[in-house]
């Protein structure tokens, strides 16, 4: 059975910032354009600080639960 999910190019870096008393925690992920912007929009609604840019590096992990952000 063929998957309906089509892998697009991971062209965007997503930075998620969690404010902590001692120092902020910043997580970086690679995502497609649509995943990055859908995630950023949803994260902003719950108060997370998210930045999206095109500085993707090959060692970045893919955005968790990518299918949710299509």
């Amino acid at each position: 059975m063929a998957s309906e999910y089509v892998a697009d190019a991971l062209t965007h870096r997503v930075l998620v910032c969690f404010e902590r008393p001692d120092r902020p925690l910043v997580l970086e992920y690679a995502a497609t354009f649509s995943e990055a912007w859908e995630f950023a929009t949803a994260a902003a609604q719950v108060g997370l600080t998210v930045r999206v840019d095109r500085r993707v590096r090959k060692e970045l992990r893919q955005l968790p639960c990518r299918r949710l952000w299509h």
Side-chain angles (χ1 to χ4, degrees):
M1 180 186 216
S3 173
E4 292 179 21
Y5 176 70
V6 177
D8 293 322
L10 302 175
T11 57
H12 287 69
R13 178 177 69 158
V14 177
L15 291 101
V16 185
C17 303
F18 297 92
E19 295 300 324
R20 301 184 321 177
D22 55 340
R23 66 175 185 200
L25 171 65
V26 179
L27 303 176
E28 294 180 278
Y29 300 103
T32 66
F33 172 80
S34 61
E35 291 166 353
W37 289 109
E38 290 292 332
F39 176 82
T41 300
Q45 290 177 357
V46 296
L48 291 177
T49 301
V50 178
R51 187 172 119 198
V52 175
D53 60 31
R54 295 185 60 100
R55 296 179 181 169
V56 178
R57 298 182 314 276
K58 64 181 177 179
E59 67 270 9
L60 289 179
R61 294 176 291 162
Q62 293 182 6
L63 187 65
C65 304
R66 290 179 63 201
R67 290 183 182 202
L68 294 174
W69 313 113
H70 285 262

